[in-house]
Amino acid sequence: GENVEQHPSTLSVQEGDSAVIKCTYSDSASNYFPWYKQELGKRPQLIIDIRSNVGEKKDQRIAVTLNKTAKHFSLHITETQPEDSAVYFCAPRANQAGTALIFGKGTTLSVSS
Amino acid sequence: NAGVTQTPKFQVLKTGQSMTLQCAQDMNHEYMSWYRQDPGMGLRLIHYSVGAGITDQGEVPNGYNVSRSTTEDFPLRLLSAAPSQTSVYFCASRLNGGTEAFFGQGTRLTVV
């Protein structure tokens, strides 16, 4: 099965700084790479994802980059704002029927103003 | 379209009691799963199902049972609650060949 690791486990930045969270995985069959955001007391929600035929994807201040050879992908948040404070989870997997959804242990991002 | 609905939102059990956490989705998703979330441990997969009549164990299945008699419902049963099962439980669903997983609002369970 998939072995997923996230680093760092906690990250504190000043408002306006950039933040980068890295996710490494073990299953070479993985071809779908999402990031979920969970605000305090709420449910996780998908914020951005990438497929293995794409190296980078951007959506306003967030981006995801993929290095399939090294088996890792990263979440980049630029110009951080206090509302970016949350726990972020990666969940790489082979995008086929029957594949269990396994999450990394999460990264707690704190943005101070 | 309600999405994924979990009940109850909060529950306190005594050690040894049994209960069922309910999860229902109205999106015709084949895949449904249960997670527990503990501080510093992320979201750990308990059981999952890829369709009615099919269930499989996840990372931490001990102490929990599931069944999937319909596409819409995926209840999680605690047969004899233990304090170690104190946690926040999330149900999630997605299309089998799909991408985004949708989560319920969570159930905060305390076992005393």
Side-chain angles (χ1 to χ4, degrees):
Chain A
E2 185 77 272
N3 185 26
V4 181
E5 292 191 3
Q6 271 184 247
H7 294 281
S9 56
T10 61
L11 181 58
S12 296
V13 300
Q14 292 284 327
E15 184 177 359
D17 287 350
S18 295
V20 181
I21 303 169
K22 184 177 180 181
C23 181
T24 60
Y25 60 95
S26 61
D27 188 354
S28 56
S30 292
N31 58 2
Y32 174 65
F33 308 95
W35 285 96
Y36 287 79
K37 175 183 180 182
Q38 184 182 26
E39 297 176 357
L40 188 63
K42 300 199 173 174
R43 71 192 82 186
Q45 290 187 298
L46 178 72
I47 55 169
I48 195 167
D49 57 11
I50 195 170
R51 296 176 190 269
S52 60
N53 58 345
V54 176
E56 181 176 357
K57 182 178 178 180
K58 278 187 177 180
D59 183 4
Q60 299 183 332
R61 296 187 297 106
I62 62 172
V64 55
T65 58
L66 172 65
N67 185 328
K68 212 157 186 261
T69 304
K71 294 184 188 171
H72 65 75
F73 62 111
S74 297
L75 175 68
H76 305 255
I77 306 174
T78 58
E79 299 173 31
T80 54
Q81 299 170 5
E83 53 264 38
D84 295 326
S85 296
V87 181
Y88 293 83
F89 295 97
C90 63
R93 63 180 170 87
N95 192 25
Q96 57 196 38
T99 306
L101 189 58
I102 304 294
F103 287 84
K105 284 186 167 49
T107 297
T108 301
L109 173 65
S110 300
V111 181
S112 53
S113 55
Chain B
N1 190 338
V4 181
T5 303
Q6 281 183 242
T7 55
K9 290 187 75 173
F10 302 95
Q11 183 71 50
V12 179
L13 286 180
K14 293 183 178 179
T15 298
Q17 285 185 317
S18 63
M19 81 158 296
T20 299
L21 307 185
Q22 301 291 345
C23 176
Q25 51 89 14
D26 60 1
M27 298 174 283
N28 205 30
H29 286 173
E30 300 98 341
Y31 179 97
M32 296 186 74
S33 53
W34 276 102
Y35 297 86
R36 60 176 290 172
Q37 186 171 32
D38 304 292
M41 302 298 290
L43 292 158
R44 292 186 291 171
L45 181 64
I46 304 172
H47 286 285
Y48 66 103
S49 168
V50 298
I54 305 168
T55 63
D56 209 344
Q57 296 183 349
E59 302 166 286
V60 288
N62 293 340
Y64 307 95
N65 280 353
V66 292
S67 60
R68 185 91 180 272
S69 56
T70 67
T71 300
E72 295 77 19
D73 301 297
F74 190 45
L76 178 72
R77 296 184 186 86
L78 285 71
L79 297 179
S80 179
S84 60
Q85 293 178 305
T86 293
S87 188
V88 178
Y89 292 84
F90 284 99
C91 178
S93 74
R94 65 172 167 86
L95 289 170
N96 252 345
T99 52
E100 181 174 0
F102 295 86
F103 284 81
Q105 74 270 37
T107 296
R108 183 173 294 276
L109 176 68
T110 302
V111 183
V112 297

